[in-house]
Amino acid sequence: ERNSLVGSEMCIRDRSGTVKLLGEEITKMSRGKLARFRRNNIGFIFQGFNLFPALTAAENVELGLNVKGIKGGKARQEAQHLLEQVGLADKGHLRPRNLSGGQQQRVAIARALAGNPPLIMADEPTAALDSHSGHAVIEILRQLSKEGGCTVLMVTHDPRIMDVADRILYLEDGMLSSQH
């Protein structure tokens, strides 16, 4: 199902290392094809935000669009729309140092949404946030999954995810299971 919080389209078999994403076996792709696949299909949200400090919030989002071939006025307009989607319509002119941790993570989410990828991969997206900001980020990701038509695959230790996840898998000693 494409719009689940934890994607069911990811398939890991045994210990062979075979991984399928969005119907494509990525483990056998060339480096170039894998890079194109990631660029066209996956938005990444990093634990440490990974925003460029010299760029404004809007420019950080535009950069994600530029990588996908969307440039100029169209990129500026789309970046503003994405910032609105994450509740930062009035913060586009600010640099990361002038934003709270929660706001920085929302900029990172807006950048991950650039180009409308079918899959968002989030690495500990709430780890650096207080409980209020963490809850807001989880709610944004839930909305993206339910209303935005994308799958959100999240790696986290945050127990707040339990309430919003459609599916929870545990990784322990290199093994995936649905029970803890």
Side-chain angles (χ1 to χ4, degrees):
E1 180 177 317
R2 186 166 179 238
N3 62 346
S4 61
L5 191 59
V6 176
S8 60
E9 292 188 62
M10 183 172 155
C11 172
I12 300 176
R13 287 187 228 143
D14 303 327
R15 293 184 176 256
S16 67
T18 301
V19 177
K20 252 184 142 173
L21 287 176
L22 304 170
E24 299 271 343
E25 189 172 323
I26 65 170
T27 50
K28 294 186 178 178
M29 287 182 182
S30 68
R31 290 176 71 111
K33 187 173 181 184
L34 184 58
R36 284 187 299 281
F37 179 85
R38 282 192 308 255
R39 181 182 61 236
N40 295 329
N41 295 292
I42 305 172
F44 293 95
I45 303 169
F46 303 98
Q47 179 176 348
F49 316 135
N50 288 2
L51 299 177
F52 291 94
L55 301 179
T56 65
E59 290 166 340
N60 268 282
V61 177
E62 282 179 50
L63 188 61
L65 292 157
N66 293 166
V67 167
K68 296 183 179 198
I70 303 166
K71 300 183 188 253
K74 184 171 171 71
R76 280 187 292 282
Q77 183 179 9
E78 181 63 14
Q80 182 59 36
H81 171 71
L82 290 168
L83 288 171
E84 286 171 16
Q85 235 181 312
V86 298
L88 295 176
D90 61 337
K91 305 289 185 194
H93 65 287
L94 297 176
R95 298 199 192 296
R97 70 178 170 268
N98 300 114
L99 297 169
S100 70
Q103 290 169 331
Q104 289 181 53
Q105 190 62 298
R106 287 188 277 157
V107 172
I109 291 169
R111 184 183 55 200
L113 294 173
N116 198 28
L119 176 62
I120 302 289
M121 294 183 126
D123 177 22
E124 294 282 3
T126 60
L129 305 177
D130 61 45
S131 62
H132 178 73
S133 296
H135 180 72
V137 165
I138 290 167
E139 184 56 30
I140 289 168
L141 293 173
R142 187 198 64 75
Q143 275 185 283
L144 288 172
S145 173
K146 298 296 181 200
E147 300 163 14
C150 70
T151 297
V152 178
L153 177 66
M154 188 181 314
V155 176
T156 188
H157 291 91
D158 190 338
R160 296 173 289 191
I161 302 305
M162 304 286 233
D163 296 338
V164 297
D166 292 328
R167 185 172 175 200
I168 298 170
L169 296 175
Y170 298 93
L171 180 62
E172 195 168 331
D173 298 327
M175 302 296 291
L176 277 179
S177 89
S178 58
Q179 296 183 11
H180 199 281

